[in-house]
Amino acid sequence: MNRSLLRKMILRALKDYLWEEEDCMLTEQEWILLETKVVDQIKEENQEEGMYTIIQDVVYEYFTNK
């Protein structure tokens, strides 16, 4: 999976939950955590078509558990 595309999609989902764009600053460890969760779920569900929904779910889970 293209890491750049994945990060852009995660960033877009983050902006749905945050007021200010500056709040979207994640540490490298947080990026890796979110990317890993997304890729694992895509592989587990074998659904690249549902990638947008999976990213939304992972980002939502990230904010609700923070």
Side-chain angles (χ1 to χ4, degrees), residues 7-51:
R7 282 199 178 200
K8 285 180 184 178
M9 293 179 77
I10 291 172
L11 184 59
R12 179 181 238 164
L14 287 170
K15 288 179 183 179
D16 289 342
Y17 293 99
L18 300 171
W19 290 104
E20 299 292 327
E21 190 168 329
E22 294 83 31
D23 294 336
C24 290
M25 298 304 213
L26 299 176
T27 65
E28 188 62 28
Q29 187 176 9
E30 290 172 318
W31 275 112
I32 292 170
L33 174 72
L34 291 175
E35 290 170 354
T36 303
K37 283 186 175 187
V38 169
V39 170
D40 288 348
Q41 284 191 20
I42 289 171
K43 287 179 182 176
E44 181 180 307
E45 297 176 19
N46 198 20
Q47 288 194 24
E48 286 205 29
E49 305 86 39
M51 185 168 51

